[in-house]
Amino acid sequence: MQHRSLSARLRSGLFAFVFAPIALVFLGSSMVDVQALAAVGQPLASVEGLIGLALASLLLALIALNCEESSTGMVVTFVWSIIVGATQFYGVARIPFLMKSSVEPDDMSAGVVWSLYPVCLSLMLGACALTIKSVRVRAGQSTRMPLARVHRHAFGTTVAIPAALAVAALMIGAAPSNTTSVAALGLEGMLRGHSMGHGLAVGAGLALALIVVSARWSITGTQLATWLILVLPTYVVVPVWASLTGNVIVPGSSILTKVALACPTLAALGMATGCASLGILWARIRAVRRLDSVEDATYNQGPAAE
């Protein structure tokens, strides 16, 4: 049993060690690429960025699925998110040849600093790692918050959906409202005259963490909240609507500018949250199955002992 546990930790940790930095750098680069073109009125122009968001999220899902027997992989991913996030603040962690727009280091930094995107992502991944660990540790223990055998869909949903709405509202509130200088200065220009709403951004990150924690009781609420509230509107509905109606970002201050600039960030964070939280589901299923097998073995040994 100890050998199997060690093997699961090594497999989960090694997989995350290799693929987590790739996923995190790819996700951030794609998000800023989409944001850069949205800032000049082309929300659907970066096919590379849109596909990159999906592929990076898929890698995070694979990392999460490898955490069913150990939270090591998610812990490694969390640590990598801090390292990659720090480099993104300096504009270093980007993949220029996979980006449609010409994003320079200053543009990369500007694209993540107003939303504190790396901080929000790290908060979510840290909460995910702790929740996976909690699910595994509490299985079969008599604690104040024991692992329930059945999913509490109503409770999980009532926590996750308001939290997702809060993430969207806070991130839109933190977004810049004027992109007049972007054409001349790049993404750095949208920060001209912008009062940073870092308090709102941190609040959005904490709400993301709450969404992930709610998966402990039911994955349904987490998945509904992330895909229907955070991803679908920002990844598909708003960009398509803006392109078809012509309500794209134009020079000048506007609430539509705040919404359009927040969309790529919300899409990236939503996809990452939805995919990473799958690890909690698999860890929960494995923990319940292990608990059932232990109880069955104990029950079968009872009559034999008599």
Side-chain angles (χ1 to χ4, degrees):
M1 182 64 71
Q2 187 175 4
H3 173 73
R4 180 179 177 181
S5 176
L6 179 61
S7 176
R9 291 178 181 176
L10 287 175
R11 185 187 73 246
S12 177
L14 183 60
F15 188 87
F17 184 80
V18 174
F19 290 103
I22 298 174
L24 294 170
V25 173
F26 201 13
L27 188 70
S29 293
S30 300
M31 184 272 293
V32 173
D33 188 28
V34 175
Q35 185 182 139
L37 289 172
V40 292
Q42 302 177 59
L44 294 176
S46 177
V47 177
E48 294 89 341
L50 295 172
I51 294 176
L53 289 174
L55 292 178
S57 300
L58 180 60
L59 277 178
L60 288 177
L62 293 176
I63 292 171
L65 294 179
N66 271 281
C67 294
E68 60 177 353
E69 295 184 1
S70 172
S71 60
T72 304
M74 198 55 66
V75 172
V76 171
T77 304
F78 166 66
V79 174
W80 267 121
S81 73
I82 297 175
I83 298 172
V84 172
T87 60
Q88 286 175 337
F89 276 128
Y90 288 100
V92 177
R94 59 194 178 92
I95 311 176
F97 62 89
L98 292 179
M99 304 171 80
K100 177 75 171 181
S101 58
S102 299
V103 175
E104 300 297 329
D106 289 341
D107 299 322
M108 183 71 197
S109 177
V112 300
V113 72
W114 66 263
S115 62
L116 293 183
Y117 161 80
V119 175
C120 294
L121 190 61
S122 293
L123 285 172
M124 183 276 293
L125 292 172
C128 191
L130 289 174
T131 306
I132 292 175
K133 183 68 174 178
S134 172
V135 166
R136 293 180 50 78
V137 169
R138 292 178 184 272
Q141 293 187 358
S142 298
T143 63
R144 289 186 300 173
M145 296 176 63
L147 182 65
R149 296 299 186 91
V150 296
H151 292 275
R152 298 171 61 185
H153 299 296
F155 179 77
T157 303
T158 55
V159 172
I161 289 181
L165 292 172
V167 171
L170 291 170
M171 197 58 73
I172 291 173
S177 61
N178 194 329
T179 61
T180 303
S181 302
V182 169
L185 302 176
L187 272 183
E188 190 179 6
M190 69 182 177
L191 301 182
R192 287 287 184 93
H194 173 62
S195 298
M196 293 292 186
H198 286 166
L200 297 176
V202 171
L206 293 174
L208 273 177
L210 182 60
I211 294 174
V212 169
V213 172
S214 71
R216 182 186 184 279
W217 292 278
S218 172
I219 195 67
T220 304
T222 302
Q223 294 298 309
L224 285 176
T226 53
W227 297 106
L228 293 183
I229 296 177
L230 295 180
V231 177
L232 183 62
T234 59
Y235 188 75
V236 179
V237 177
V238 173
V240 171
W241 170 80
S243 297
L244 292 178
T245 61
N247 289 302
V248 295
I249 292 179
V250 294
S253 181
S254 170
I255 184 62
L256 288 177
T257 299
K258 295 174 74 70
V259 172
L261 288 177
C263 278
T265 303
L266 289 172
L269 291 174
M271 287 181 171
T273 302
C275 291
S277 62
L278 292 175
I280 301 172
L281 171 64
W282 286 105
R284 192 180 190 282
I285 292 174
R286 179 57 65 94
V288 171
R289 286 178 178 174
R290 185 176 67 250
L291 184 58
D292 289 340
S293 64
V294 170
E295 291 181 351
D296 289 342
T298 303
Y299 176 79
N300 292 332
Q301 290 174 0
E306 294 177 0

